[in-house]
Amino acid sequence: MGMHLGFLFPSWGLGTRYRKSVVKEKKMKINFILNENEVSIDVDPMKRLLDILREDFGLTGTKEGCGEGECGACTILLDGKPVTSCILNAIHADGKEIYTVEGIAEKHIGKLLIDCFDETNAVQCGFCFPGFLVSSYYYLKTDGEKNLDKIKKALSGNICRCTGYQKIFESVMMACVRKS
Amino acid sequence: MKQVRKFDARPKLDGSWKFLDDYSYKDMIYGGLFYSTVHHGIIRKITFPVEFNLTEFTIVFAKDIPGKNIVPEPECDQPFMADKEVFHFGQVIMGVAHPSKEILKKFIKQIKVEYEELPAIVDVKECLENEKNAFGKEIIIDHRRNVKPEKGWIRTHSVYYTTHQEQAYLEPQGMIAIYKPEDRIMFVRGTMQCPFFVKDGVEAIMGNTIKEAIIETSEGIGGAFGGKEDFPSLLAGITALLAYKSGKPVKVVLDRADDIQITTKRHPSRVEIETYTNPKTRKIRKLKIDYRLDAGAYQTLSPVVLARGVLHSIGGYAVEDVYIRGRLFRSNTPSNGAFRGFGAPQAFFAIESHIDKIASHMKINPYEFRKANILKFGDEFPTTQKITENHLYDCLERVIVKSDYHKKLKEFSKFNKTLKDKKGIGISIGYHGGGYTGSGEKLLNSEVKITIDKEGFVNIFVANVDMGQGAHTTLAQMVNETLEHPLEKTIVQLPNTKKTPNSGPTVASRTIYIIGNLLRKLSKKIKDELKFENLERFIKENQDKFPKEYRMHFTPDPSAVFDDKTYQGVAYKDYSWAACVTEIYYHADIYQIELKKIWNVLDIGNIVNPKIAEGQVEGANIQAMGYALSEFFYKKGYGRIQGFTDYAIPTTFDIPEIDIEFIHTDSTTAKGLGEIPMDYPAPAIRNAFYNATGIFIDEIPLTPERILKTMNKLPQTNTDDTQT
């Protein structure tokens, strides 16, 4: 059922003027650790984690490329594992530890990776790179072997359309060597 | 040639570089587009969902447009919003805005439109096969020289098809518009390639209601590849109208599903080639090309894509008698637009595939056959433009050596006799004209500006954007070759139509080739005028001379004349040349081609920043690989493709080894680079597949489904080859 309006002379508004659009006002308190700080927020538990990070905490380094968990531009670490924050909801963060690219860029290995990506001129448009940084960080923390096949696998959840990935692989390999 | 790190790499990595969606303004509301979900129809009734209070929304229709409902383009035929009739899926019917992003999304999803559906052409082949669908621009290049095919000459005739390709920039389209009623200025910030095109768009839709539109790009532009050439004008126009009507800043960022369904794509093509070759001399003597592009529902910038397409359709070969006809065809799909290569990838897929086909008919090696026909010094294009260098030939020779072509050819032939899986090696050559076609650059009349201030900063003002290609780093380097100023004190300013002169759009490999070389010239002028040894010291010691401003216009070479009517003359002043070899492994059980390695040898003139240049080749190669192997829209894909789940662009798992060599880098000119490495790989992959299996497939992408069908039905497709 809907309001029927003529296309050329829409007459909406009559009788609906004083009604507010239906919004689900359910809110819930969510506590988590964000980049090593304890945070707490009253929020719709179904709000996307990506939007909470970007809008409520102003951490715009985490990007939305596809909104369906496919491109990896919104990758964050949730309890130490890389996840795509665009397909998670607020409730998934409750009681968890989260690192976004802003937090990772401050860590020793994060800085090392930034140096390597910078040196190889790997970055082009850069929209996908915060996601690559998070995934590469996870690889260096958990494995770190200079092995192209392993690196390809570790980064397979991140899509880049500019670079052809060559210099990304090169950078991560460089970081593997420098870390050890 | 100097290796310099990109100035924006670190902030992009730590997430502090701002892309469009990272900007917020006070009282900003969110906008969205509601678009047609039928391919062709008349709008009968629009129904809004009742559970929303409509007074909270700002809604704009075609009838609300105070100016013109036509997007300014080379061909002005596309409306910003449909009025009564929609001509394609994804055609915008209204713009909607609301303070809450969530409510806006739910609201737009629930709007219902009743259409009276009309017949539509959606399938690419249905569009391109039927002559009745031809519309708009037609181009003929007539270089017929009365060559009569003789007995024994080999006639080869084939039709080649390519399909839509999505640019798939990672950052979706987005705009923010802010109206300032006190001075009647519409400020628009967006992710775009062409700020001055967007200015024209916003001023067209707003008409006399505003005094001026000022356009500024976001700090970061998350990829474009041509996809942000003309669509941003439409999006900015509607966003501006929403801002005007609501009185609030409006931000519109498209969802990936919307972006992929309603924005421009690479034109599908049908290219028919007929050749006559003398087997004794191995020379192609007569060539006829019918080049067709599916423009979509409107022409928009397709006439310009068509022009570049026909001018590249002959490939890198010297043929005496040539006739080329290029036409646009209309379908009920979103108008197709710019995408890296701009008509050339379609052209090269056809001609480079065809060359291998002739070679196979003559039973000679495709390299030998290319060598016999390749453009050399003194030859001419069908436009009568003379070739003044042997660089294309040099590229071919070099890539054959580098890839160990002959040895691999033998090895693979042996390997293929023993196993079901096959190995293959393929060649292609190509070229790309730098800058606008014909008299385009003359008409653009680009201007650049450099200011030097008291504090010792050299500021570069151009309208060309850095969308990831590293243009702003490279342009700063080109200025510093002469001024020898510290790079951290050489700043390329953010493009803004009020502050930067109109140096034209960021397209056609023209940013470095036209604008960069122009900045080099201006820098030399500055140095000649100021006569400094060290600019930094000079500024300190001569504070009274600064700030100072320098401007320069691009002056085309007066000897390079092109007739836009007859298509005779110098279509492009400088060409980049390239040759490529690809190696594939064919997994017979799953009908899957795996690209193992690609060798590129290119002449792009002098190299400003080697790693940025390599990055361009690598990225373009992988886009071309997607074009050749995996990327396509379903036959009736509109409404079904939602994002990267259904549209398969290459991931880290798919990546081959890439080998790149630049030759003839001692030139004084930096030529075009962005597009050429996208132009040639697809046919080389197809030719490698032929080498592996002996099967010609004249259509891309070479998906396992297509290979399976071809293998099970026919040994060859689309050919009616005969000997005369």
Side-chain angles (χ1 to χ4, degrees):
Chain A
M1 288 293 288
M3 261 177 68
H4 297 279
L5 300 167
F7 176 59
L8 290 174
F9 303 99
S11 55
W12 63 74
L14 297 173
T16 58
R17 186 155 295 160
Y18 303 105
R19 205 148 43 79
K20 206 164 185 284
S21 292
V22 185
V23 204
K24 283 172 193 149
E25 288 280 347
K26 288 185 292 184
K27 286 212 172 174
M28 185 180 158
K29 200 175 188 74
I30 307 241
N31 305 301
F32 57 102
I33 299 168
L34 178 56
N35 296 332
E36 301 179 1
N37 297 313
E38 280 180 34
V39 295
S40 176
I41 182 174
D42 257 329
V43 71
D44 174 355
M46 292 313 284
K47 186 167 179 178
R48 296 191 308 171
L49 186 50
L50 170 67
D51 294 334
I52 291 174
L53 296 171
R54 289 179 54 85
E55 292 165 12
D56 299 306
F57 291 99
L59 296 171
T60 53
T62 307
K63 308 294 181 196
E64 176 169 359
C66 72
E68 56 176 17
E70 193 70 28
C71 78
C74 66
T75 306
I76 57 166
L77 289 186
L78 183 77
D79 275 358
K81 294 224 164 81
V83 292
T84 46
S85 60
C86 72
I87 51 167
L88 294 179
N89 302 108
I91 196 147
H92 292 115
D94 196 30
K96 299 279 168 56
E97 186 189 29
I98 287 178
Y99 275 100
T100 66
V101 64
E102 288 89 350
I104 282 168
E106 294 296 314
K107 309 285 281 183
H108 171 66
I109 293 178
K111 284 180 185 159
L112 172 70
L113 276 163
I114 289 178
D115 285 343
C116 296
F117 278 117
D118 185 20
E119 239 173 277
T120 54
N121 258 17
V123 183
Q124 289 194 28
C125 88
F127 195 79
C128 67
F129 270 80
F132 271 100
L133 196 79
V134 174
S135 298
S136 310
Y137 178 85
Y138 177 74
Y139 177 71
L140 257 78
K141 283 288 264 192
T142 53
D143 188 324
E145 189 195 333
K146 189 193 163 201
N147 175 319
L148 184 59
D149 288 336
K150 277 188 175 181
I151 292 169
K152 282 186 175 177
K153 194 176 171 201
L155 302 180
S156 62
N158 295 77
I159 290 178
C160 169
R161 186 60 155 173
C162 293
T163 65
Y165 305 101
Q166 303 293 317
K167 291 188 166 37
I168 295 176
F169 300 152
E170 202 184 305
S171 310
V172 178
M173 298 231 257
M174 189 189 272
C176 291
V177 174
R178 287 195 191 168
K179 186 194 153 217
S180 54
Chain B
M1 186 180 333
K2 205 172 161 194
Q3 188 45 52
V4 162
R5 293 188 198 180
K6 291 178 70 174
F7 72 96
D8 53 359
R10 298 183 83 88
K12 279 174 173 174
L13 282 157
D14 67 24
S16 60
W17 201 246
K18 277 169 97 173
F19 292 86
L20 196 269
D21 201 14
D22 306 338
Y23 287 84
S24 278
Y25 292 89
K26 195 171 169 275
D27 294 331
M28 187 175 80
I29 63 172
Y30 297 92
L33 305 178
F34 178 84
Y35 53 83
S36 157
T37 49
V38 298
H39 300 295
H40 186 196
I42 293 167
I43 301 165
R44 285 294 174 220
K45 193 158 77 181
I46 299 182
T47 314
F48 292 100
V50 285
E51 59 271 42
F52 295 88
N53 179 355
L54 285 171
T55 58
E56 290 174 6
F57 294 85
T58 305
I59 302 179
V60 293
F61 293 100
K63 68 176 176 59
D64 298 318
I65 293 175
K68 279 189 190 151
N69 188 16
I70 290 283
V71 185
E73 296 258 15
E75 186 64 45
C76 297
D77 62 347
Q78 175 177 240
F80 284 96
M81 289 185 272
D83 194 354
K84 295 189 179 77
E85 188 171 356
V86 291
F87 289 93
H88 64 83
F89 186 103
Q91 183 157 19
V92 181
I93 295 169
M94 64 182 111
V96 189
H98 188 275
S100 155
K101 206 156 69 173
E102 285 76 28
I103 293 173
L104 177 75
K105 270 186 192 166
K106 283 179 197 154
F107 177 73
I108 291 179
K109 242 183 203 158
Q110 291 177 45
I111 298 172
K112 296 268 180 304
V113 176
E114 279 175 36
Y115 302 93
E116 179 189 329
E117 281 202 59
L118 298 169
I121 299 156
V122 183
D123 179 51
V124 168
K125 282 194 184 164
E126 192 189 333
C127 165
L128 290 169
E129 291 294 351
N130 191 343
E131 301 257 348
K132 280 186 191 149
N133 297 327
F135 79 134
K137 179 95 168 171
E138 174 168 356
I139 297 169
I140 291 188
I141 303 180
D142 191 348
H143 192 273
R144 282 177 292 188
R145 294 296 183 264
N146 230 350
V147 172
K148 296 263 185 306
E150 290 168 17
K151 204 168 170 244
W153 286 14
I154 291 170
R155 174 179 181 262
T156 310
H157 172 243
S158 271
V159 184
Y160 304 90
Y161 298 92
T162 66
T163 186
H164 288 105
Q165 188 184 19
E166 161 63 29
Q167 292 87 353
Y169 32 72
L170 259 280
E171 178 204 29
Q173 304 269 1
M175 288 287 160
I176 298 172
I178 302 164
Y179 181 58
K180 295 168 185 161
E182 59 282 5
D183 40 15
R184 289 171 55 234
I185 288 202
M186 184 66 74
F187 175 80
V188 175
R189 186 186 295 286
T191 173
M192 65 183 80
Q193 289 173 245
C194 317
F196 280 89
F197 285 5
V198 172
K199 180 180 163 74
D200 291 346
V202 173
E203 286 174 356
I205 196 171
M206 296 311 300
N208 292 328
T209 53
I210 62 166
K211 202 176 84 199
E212 193 187 357
I214 298 176
I215 317 298
E216 187 168 289
T217 72
S218 43
E219 198 173 33
I221 293 169
F225 316 115
K228 292 172 184 171
E229 175 167 348
D230 70 339
F231 185 82
S233 304
L234 185 147
L235 184 62
I238 298 170
T239 311
L241 194 54
L242 284 168
Y244 181 75
K245 196 169 172 188
S246 67
K248 296 205 166 109
V250 175
K251 185 201 289 191
V252 180
V253 175
L254 297 190
D255 272 359
R256 178 58 58 181
D258 293 343
D259 190 300
I260 211 161
Q261 294 186 65
I262 75 173
T263 63
T264 61
K265 316 251 166 299
R266 188 186 300 290
H267 295 72
S269 71
R270 175 194 185 277
V271 184
E272 186 174 350
I273 306 182
E274 185 188 26
T275 48
Y276 290 91
T277 312
N278 182 342
K280 284 193 193 108
T281 60
R282 297 178 168 183
K283 287 288 258 182
I284 305 169
R285 296 301 313 280
K286 198 175 169 74
L287 184 147
K288 196 174 153 193
I289 298 174
D290 179 19
Y291 180 96
R292 304 177 183 182
L293 293 178
D294 172 355
Y298 300 99
Q299 283 198 68
T300 62
L301 52 68
S302 298
V304 199
V305 180
L306 183 71
R308 189 174 285 274
V310 296
L311 286 164
H312 289 73
S313 64
I314 180 152
Y317 305 99
V319 184
E320 192 185 340
D321 187 305
V322 182
Y323 185 80
I324 305 168
R325 183 186 193 195
R327 280 175 294 169
L328 296 177
F329 281 61
R330 187 172 196 183
S331 68
N332 296 97
T333 56
S335 44
N336 293 308
F339 190 167
R340 196 178 215 165
F342 213 69
Q346 295 94 320
F348 286 121
F349 175 71
I351 190 73
E352 285 300 304
S353 298
H354 195 77
I355 292 292
D356 263 40
K357 201 169 270 184
I358 308 173
S360 102
H361 291 160
M362 303 205 346
K363 298 192 172 52
I364 66 168
N365 176 285
Y367 156 69
E368 298 292 341
F369 185 62
R370 278 184 175 78
K371 207 166 116 175
N373 288 280
I374 199 163
L375 278 173
K376 283 194 190 144
F377 183 91
D379 288 334
E380 66 177 32
F381 278 119
T383 52
T384 67
Q385 180 174 1
K386 287 269 185 276
I387 309 297
T388 55
E389 54 201 15
N390 276 329
H391 294 186
L392 180 60
Y393 177 71
D394 297 340
C395 290
L396 176 64
E397 290 296 295
R398 182 74 191 129
V399 83
I400 294 296
V401 173
K402 278 199 78 133
S403 60
D404 224 342
Y405 175 79
H406 295 292
K407 192 174 150 216
K408 286 215 167 74
L409 207 59
K410 272 190 206 135
E411 270 176 27
F412 292 178
S413 150
K414 215 165 147 192
F415 176 91
N416 291 345
K417 283 189 188 113
T418 57
L419 276 176
K420 209 176 155 195
D421 281 3
K422 308 283 176 205
K423 286 183 182 181
I425 191 159
I427 313 175
S428 68
I429 60 171
Y431 57 87
H432 205 94
Y436 262 31
T437 301
S439 19
E441 290 298 339
K442 197 171 150 191
L443 296 170
L444 272 178
N445 192 22
S446 294
E447 190 187 15
V448 296
K449 180 173 105 179
I450 293 178
T451 65
I452 303 174
D453 58 29
K454 280 186 189 317
E455 291 74 36
F457 283 94
V458 172
N459 299 293
I460 301 166
F461 292 85
V462 292
N464 309 86
V465 309
D466 193 323
M467 51 202 174
Q469 85 282 43
H472 286 185
T473 301
T474 317
L475 291 176
Q477 280 185 263
M478 291 175 97
V479 167
N480 277 353
E481 285 167 4
T482 310
L483 299 187
E484 297 179 84
H485 198 58
L487 257 185
E488 60 276 13
K489 286 194 152 184
T490 312
I491 313 290
V492 181
Q493 297 289 333
L494 203 59
N496 173 311
T497 55
K498 193 77 178 166
K499 296 173 188 156
T500 40
N502 189 352
S503 58
T506 317
V507 302
S509 299
R510 64 184 295 283
T511 305
I512 301 308
Y513 170 60
I514 300 286
I515 302 308
N517 289 320
L518 180 60
L519 282 170
R520 275 179 168 163
K521 223 167 126 186
L522 180 58
S523 313
K524 285 200 182 87
K525 193 186 135 188
I526 294 172
K527 188 158 189 189
D528 287 348
E529 198 185 299
L530 294 179
K531 296 187 177 59
F532 55 83
E533 259 181 39
N534 176 308
L535 182 59
E536 223 179 352
R537 205 166 56 222
F538 185 84
I539 299 167
K540 265 186 205 145
E541 289 165 3
N542 298 277
Q543 282 279 307
D544 54 312
K545 285 200 169 79
F546 299 97
K548 217 159 161 46
E549 181 182 308
Y550 298 88
R551 283 169 180 267
M552 190 178 264
H553 278 276
F554 175 73
T555 38
D557 180 347
S559 68
V561 183
F562 186 72
D563 185 332
D564 292 312
K565 285 197 184 73
T566 60
Y567 270 66
Q568 298 290 293
V570 179
Y572 306 94
K573 174 76 186 5
D574 291 292
Y575 291 86
S576 299
W577 308 102
C580 153
V581 168
T582 57
E583 180 187 328
I584 64 146
Y585 188 94
Y586 174 60
H587 300 266
D589 289 337
I590 52 169
Y591 301 93
Q592 177 88 49
I593 297 173
E594 183 189 346
L595 181 60
K596 298 294 268 187
K597 187 157 180 180
I598 172 163
W599 290 264
N600 301 267
V601 176
L602 304 104
D603 161 27
I604 56 158
N606 80 32
I607 314 277
V608 182
N609 185 316
K611 286 209 170 158
I612 287 182
E614 278 172 22
Q616 284 295 299
V617 180
E618 290 162 359
N621 274 185
I622 297 308
Q623 284 179 2
M625 180 184 111
Y627 190 45
L629 297 178
S630 67
E631 296 180 27
F632 69 105
F633 270 61
Y634 300 119
K635 194 170 171 186
K636 288 187 175 155
Y638 291 96
R640 288 176 57 186
I641 300 240
Q642 297 288 316
F644 298 137
T645 317
D646 326 87
Y647 188 81
I649 68 174
T651 72
T652 55
F653 277 135
D654 308 313
I655 303 307
E657 258 186 84
I658 300 178
D659 187 283
I660 303 160
E661 183 177 333
F662 298 109
I663 61 170
H664 294 296
T665 53
D666 52 352
S667 152
T668 52
T669 307
K671 299 192 285 187
L673 165 64
E675 293 160 283
I676 187 165
M678 169 77 221
D679 291 349
Y680 52 73
I685 293 168
R686 176 262 189 205
N687 291 343
F689 178 72
Y690 169 70
N691 174 248
T693 60
I695 291 168
F696 281 126
I697 300 184
D698 295 337
E699 197 172 339
I700 46 171
L702 298 169
T703 56
E705 292 84 350
R706 193 186 305 285
I707 296 172
L708 180 145
K709 278 182 193 163
T710 312
M711 288 202 162
N712 291 342
K713 273 189 208 157
L714 302 158
Q716 295 191 15
T717 56
N718 296 323
T719 50
D720 62 331
D721 312 303
T722 48
Q723 264 201 339
T724 50

